[in-house]
Each structure stands twice: as C-alpha cells, then as structure tokens.
C-alpha cells in the first residue's frame, strides 16, 4: 500500500486531502456520512476577530461547471470558533486549519493571537476573499499588501502559517515570492475567481453582492497553471485547490506542484468526493509503483 | 437528525400537471428518518449543485419517500427525465420539519409548488386540517384530491377563477381564522403569499410556521449561502434555510431586503 502521508510545515497529514474553507463548515456538517478522521485535514470556515453577519442573499448562482458565491465571511468570530468548534474538531479530526480573514492589519493580528494560544494545528491566512468590500482580497492583490499582512501575522504567531492566494492578479508568482520572503511556511491556491451573472429578465445580478467568487471544475485549469507557476517560483510547499472533483484532478494538481490538495465545491454534489480522491490516489500510486506522494509533487514533464 | 446520501430506485413516476412530477423513491433508511416538512437535495446529471426538493410523502412501512416538484430550469428538467426503475441521487432527509400539534384544529396554506410539503401535515391531521391551496389556474392544480382523501377540509383557489375560489388564498384564510377555532397555521409558497399569511395570523393571534426557499448550496449547513434574515432575542442574524429551516416560526422571519 502506498504511503499517503504528507508533511507540510512540520505538520503531518495522514493523507493529502483537505476539505477547503467555506465548503465544510467547521467540520460538523458531514459527520452523518463519515468521520472527520478520514480526511487529511479540514480548513475551517473563514473567521474574523469579531462575528460577521455576511452578505445579503442570494449568495449563490450556478454557472457552467461551477458556482459563484458571495457569502461575505459570515462567521461566529475567532473566540466562538475556539470555544464551540475547536474541541470537537481536535477530538474527531486530523489536521485542523483555521482560515483567518480581516479588513485591517490589526484584525488579522488579533485573530492570529487568539489562535496562537489555541489548539489549532495551522493558520491559513485568507488574503483573497473576493466577497468583502473592505479587506480580504485588497491585501492579496499587491505584493506589498501580501507582504505586509504576512509579516504582521508571522510576528503574532508561531503556528505554521499558510497564506491563501487570490488568482485575481496579473502575476501570482510575485505575490507567492513576497509571502515566502515574509516567513509563510506554505501557500495555498487558488481562491475563487471574481465573476458575475445577470438575470436577463429582471436585469439584476443573480448575486445580491453583484459579483462573487467562481469555483468548481470551471476554474480547475487556471488553478493547475497557477500552482505550476508558483511551484517554480517558491521553495515552500503548496496546497493546491480550485475545481478538484476527482482523484485524477488531484494527481494532476500534485504533478503541477501541490504537496496536498483541498477539495471544496465538489463536496456539494458528492459529499464522498474527498474519500474517492483518497482511494483513487492510493490505487494510482500502487499501480504505478509510487511509494510516497512526495515522489509525484511537481513531476509534470513540461514540453 | 440523521441523513443519507445514496442512489435510490424510483418506484413510481406520475405527471400531476404540465411540468409537475411526482416521484416515489424506495429509500428505507431515509424514509425512516424523515419528518414532515423536511427536504432532500437531489443531484442532476451534469450540474454542479443539487436541487432542494421538499418531501411530499413519507411511508415508513413501504420505506418510500415521495417528491413532487416543478420543472423550473435545466437542472430540474434533467431530474424529471428519470423514469421508474432509474435511480435518483438523494442527499436527505435534511433540515427541520414542521412541529404539528396533536388533536388540534389547524390550517395549511400552500401556494403553487408550495402545496406538496403541506400534504404530509394533512396526512397526519386528517379532518382536523383545513387545506387552503392556491394555484395560478385550473391546469396547475395538483394534489387537491389527496388532501380530500385525508378528510381534510380542502379549499382550492385560483388566481383566474378557472376552478374553485377566485383570488388569493388569503380570502378563505381570513374567513377560516375569523371562526376562532384554529390553533396553528402552516404555510409554504411564494414570498408575497407567506408575508400575507403571516400578517393574517398576527392579526388573529394564531401561531404560524412557514417553510422558506432560498438558492441553496450544500444543503447541510456547511456553505452558508441559503440565508434568511431572522431575529432571535432581539438580534438579527442570517439563518441557514437548509439547516436552521426550512421551517421557521413566523415571528422569527424578517425576509431579505
């Protein structure tokens, strides 16, 4: 049997499949179907220092092979997360990743300090949420902004730090390099691509926020390309995501340079998709005589 | 509340009206777990999102659930293509159902495709139930015979008067409430109808439960997109229609915008 375990920033994952932030609640929603321990890890719903109400609905629209969402970071706040969800998550899950967003630097720092004192295994810095007017992606779209927020949070916590990057930039590699230089232990990409749909009868955008983040199979080739570009640009491990729905997609993402993968939108249609990815990856490795996931990482053979 | 996710065989398919279908599905464990007012999130081949469809009937003995839905777009059209013997990919039962008082006179109000989730209440309460069912016109009328078969006092309304009472459900509802015998009202339908029903219930001081719709993602509370503005303890917040609903107490609901 192939060894599916991976190590990222000193954290051991039993397998490289992680539930993506915003698609898996705080790990509590799918335990009717299978235990959280089957996943390598879970990235929890994006959280902010204070609770947030989120955007006015509708917050979702289906698109060809994808969805647009504009949740707007509705969450109960970092303190609520640590108090209500984290104990169960630690008990039932493997690697627990806290996804953190904010508007101003002090928000990120305050949240990171709370989490630093908690049992979370890793922090995923969300500088890429496209759905909140003040903040989120405004940090992630310039290398200066990305560097500043990474620098500040790096000082606030000793927890392994993942920085989640937005694809809504001209050159994602310069952002990747900037956060690596400021002490990020890992990068995860891609967050959603900014999109829009309009109801032709009412002439209203389907999302009340007018625009939202595109995810699902539609974005997968963009994600693979960006992971590949970043793999060549940085030395820290990459967690690849964006439209992965099958084990073949996961293998492709790993070949592009991802050390682990996150699965999100695919879970809505098939809650078992992360388990199918784990099983498929294991069989692929066995069939091809690959003993460790690390043997596959970045092993695409470019023309 | 337990739910399941699997492919289940369709044992009966009926066409109730133009573009309105009834599927009975053999799913013993889901049927056993289901409550009146819950829904299932049903997969459509080739679409990223499942479609939330209310449960119209629960038969625990036969181990079946019944879904009545209208083709609203390409996703529901794809689901409607399935035939008897095919399987349906069901995630459910999901959400909170209706809380039905025993031995008390109640009214259910259904508007259009909001009628099917009301049939389960009629099945449980029989002659204690008055069913006020609103449709656009005669060709859209569904399930009225089944409410009558449950011995429920059934009043059909159509907007154009082509069958039953001409006009909206609120007219017979106001008359029924004025009798002062009703202990609870249950409603599902278009937002304007639900708002009008809630207003009448407030005027007559009768508790009301409403089943709401919203564009939905996961169906299990994970993605937080199907929000409804609600108020509890004086504080406004967005509830999840899928997990905290789809049934809400009327006094909690603020509606969006």
């Amino acid at each position: 049997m192939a060894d599916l375990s991976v190590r990222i920033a000193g954290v051991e994952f039993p397998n490289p499949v992680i539930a993506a932030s915003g698609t898996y609640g705080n790990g509590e929603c799918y335990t009717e179907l299978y235990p959280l321990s089957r996943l390598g890890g879970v990235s929890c719903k994006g959280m902010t220092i204070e609770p947030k109400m989120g955007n006015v609905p509708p917050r979702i629209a289906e698109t060809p092979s994808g969805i647009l969402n504009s949740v707007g970071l509705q969450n109960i706040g970092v303190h609520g997360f640590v108090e209500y969800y984290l104990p169960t998550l630690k008990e039932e899950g493997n690697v627990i990743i806290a996804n953190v967003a904010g508007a101003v630097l002090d928000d990120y720092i305050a949240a990171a300090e709370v989490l630093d004192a908690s049992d979370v295994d890793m922090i995923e810095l969300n500088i890429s949420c496209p759905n909140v007017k003040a903040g989120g992606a405004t940090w992630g779209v310039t290398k200066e902004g990305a560097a500043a927020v990474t620098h500040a949070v790096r000082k606030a916590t000793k927890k392994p730090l993942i920085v989640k990057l937005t694809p809504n930039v001209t050159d994602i590699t310069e952002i990747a390099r900037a956060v690596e230089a400021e002490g990020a232990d890992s990068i995860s990409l891609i967050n959603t691509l900014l999109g829009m749909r309009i109801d032709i009868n009412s002439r209203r955008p389907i999302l009340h926020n007018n625009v939202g983040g595109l995810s699902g199979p539609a974005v997968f080739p963009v994600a693979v390309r960006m992971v590949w570009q970043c793999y060549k640009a940085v030395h820290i491990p990459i967690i690849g995501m964006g439209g992965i729905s099958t084990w073949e997609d996961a293998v492709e993402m790993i070949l592009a340079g991802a050390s682990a993968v996150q699965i999100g939108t695919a879970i809505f249609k098939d809650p078992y998709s992360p388990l199918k990815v784990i099983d498929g990856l294991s069989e692929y490795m066995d069939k091809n005589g690959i003993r460790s996931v690390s043997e596959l990482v970045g092993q695409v053979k470019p023309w | 509340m337990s739910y399941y996710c699997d492919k289940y065989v369709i044992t009966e398919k009926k066409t109730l009206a133009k573009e309105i279908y009834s599927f009975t599905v053999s799913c013993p464990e889901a049927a056993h777990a289901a409550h009146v007012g819950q829904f299932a999130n049903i997969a459509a081949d080739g679409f990223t999102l499942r479609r939330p469809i209310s449960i119209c009937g629960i038969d625990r003995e036969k181990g079946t659930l019944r879904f009545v839905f209208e083709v609203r777009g390409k996703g529901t059209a794809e689901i409607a293509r399935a035939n008897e013997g095919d399987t349906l990919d069901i995630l459910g039962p999901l959400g909170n159902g209706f809380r039905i008082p025993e031995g008390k006179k109640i009214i259910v109000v259904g508007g259009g495709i909001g009628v099917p989730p009301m049939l389960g209440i009629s099945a449980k309460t029989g002659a204690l139930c008055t069913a006020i069912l609103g449709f656009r016109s005669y060709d859209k009328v569904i399930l009225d015979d089944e409410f009558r078969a449950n011995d429920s006092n059934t009043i059909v309304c159509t907007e154009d008067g082509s069958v039953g009472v001409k006009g909206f459900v609120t007219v017979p509802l106001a008359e029924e409430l004025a009798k002062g015998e009703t202990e609870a009202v249950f409603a599902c339908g278009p937002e304007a109808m639900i708002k009008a029903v809630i207003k009448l219930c407030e005027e007559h001081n009768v508790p009301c439960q409403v089943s709401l719709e919203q564009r939905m993602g996961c169906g299990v509370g994970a993605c937080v997109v199907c929000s409804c503005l609600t108020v509890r303890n004086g504080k406004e917040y967005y509830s999840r229609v899928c997990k905290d609903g789809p049934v809400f107490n009327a006094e909690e609901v603020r509606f969006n915008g």
Side-chain angles (χ1 to χ4, degrees), chain B:
Chain B
M1 295 278 180
S2 47
Y3 67 83
Y4 302 87
C5 181
D6 215 332
K7 291 187 167 118
Y8 299 102
V9 175
I10 299 165
T11 56
E12 188 181 61
K13 177 183 183 179
K14 286 198 281 192
T15 305
L16 302 186
K18 189 168 180 285
E19 303 286 20
I20 300 178
Y21 298 92
S22 168
F23 282 8
T24 302
V25 180
S26 178
C27 49
E29 63 267 42
H32 191 77
H35 293 280
V36 174
Q38 287 189 294
F39 70 99
N41 221 2
I42 299 179
D45 266 359
F47 292 84
T48 311
L49 293 176
R50 291 170 175 266
R51 269 44 181 179
I53 294 175
S54 65
I55 293 170
C56 172
I58 304 165
D59 190 330
R60 292 199 176 133
E61 265 174 43
K62 288 184 184 158
T64 58
L65 287 177
R66 181 185 182 196
F67 301 96
V68 170
F69 66 99
E70 182 172 29
V71 171
R72 290 259 186 96
K74 291 172 186 165
T76 40
E78 177 58 33
I79 293 170
R81 283 162 51 109
N83 285 312
E84 286 175 12
D86 293 344
T87 59
L88 213 53
D89 184 343
I90 291 174
L91 177 67
L94 302 172
N96 291 312
F98 293 108
R99 295 164 301 283
I100 306 163
E102 276 183 35
K104 295 189 170 162
K105 291 195 92 168
I106 57 135
I107 298 175
V108 300
V109 185
I113 206 61
V115 167
M118 294 297 144
L119 187 59
I121 304 177
S122 154
K124 279 207 155 189
T125 54
L128 291 169
C129 172
T130 293
I132 304 173
L133 314 176
F135 304 95
R136 201 159 292 153
S137 56
Y138 74 94
D139 56 338
K140 291 283 183 190
V141 175
I142 53 166
L143 301 172
D144 56 323
D145 50 334
E146 300 193 39
F147 282 88
R148 288 193 186 96
N150 290 332
D151 288 331
S152 298
N153 170 31
T154 305
I155 303 165
V156 170
C157 311
T158 50
E159 288 174 30
D160 63 358
S162 51
V163 67
V165 180
K166 184 176 192 305
F168 292 119
V169 291
T170 41
V171 178
L173 176 62
E175 286 169 10
E176 288 296 319
L177 286 172
K179 293 176 185 168
E181 299 166 342
T182 307
E183 306 257 6
V185 171
F186 303 85
C188 183
E191 192 170 302
M193 183 205 93
I194 289 183
K195 282 179 176 167
V197 169
I198 290 175
K199 191 159 170 279
L200 280 172
C201 288
E202 276 171 3
E203 285 167 16
H204 290 85
N205 204 20
V206 175
C208 176
Q209 294 169 39
V210 296
S211 177
L212 301 182
E213 260 195 325
Q214 183 52 273
R215 284 177 181 269
M216 199 174 278
C218 66
V220 297
C223 71
V224 212
V225 301
C226 57
S227 310
C228 167
L229 195 61
T230 52
V231 71
R232 204 171 281 168
N233 303 324
K235 220 181 148 206
E236 282 192 340
Y237 65 99
Y238 282 117
S239 288
R240 299 162 296 183
V241 170
C242 71
K243 179 87 173 177
D244 307 313
V247 177
F248 292 91
N249 287 324
E251 62 270 20
E252 290 178 350
V253 178
R254 283 295 171 273
F255 293 102
N256 305 307

Side-chain angles (χ1 to χ4, degrees), chain A residues 25 35 103 165 189 217:
Chain A
L165 305 184
L189 60 139

Side-chain angles (χ1 to χ4, degrees), chain A residues 164-183:
Chain A
K164 184 168 178 177
L165 305 184
T166 174
N168 302 309
V169 294
T170 309
D171 180 3
I172 197 166
T173 63
E174 67 173 20
I175 316 278
R177 283 196 199 94
V179 303
E180 181 185 39
E182 292 298 341

Side-chain angles (χ1 to χ4, degrees), chain A residues 15-98:
Chain A
N15 66 64
V17 176
I18 303 162
S21 178
T23 63
Y24 217 76
N26 287 307
E28 80 283 21
C29 298
Y30 288 103
T31 50
E32 294 286 343
L33 300 180
Y34 53 88
L36 202 55
S37 58
R38 296 284 301 276
L39 304 181
V42 55
S43 181
C44 299
K45 171 67 194 161
M47 60 192 85
T48 48
I49 185 67
E50 298 295 335
K52 270 184 83 76
M53 263 189 87
N55 292 335
V56 176
R59 296 176 174 181
I60 192 165
E62 193 164 22
T63 65
S65 293
I67 55 171
L68 284 175
N69 89 81
S70 67
V71 173
L73 289 170
Q74 177 174 343
N75 79 98
I76 61 163
V78 173
H79 293 285
F81 168 77
V82 170
E83 190 175 336
Y84 298 117
Y85 291 108
L86 190 54
T88 314
L89 279 161
K90 285 297 290 180
E91 199 172 302
E92 296 180 358
N94 288 310
V95 178
I96 308 304
I97 303 169

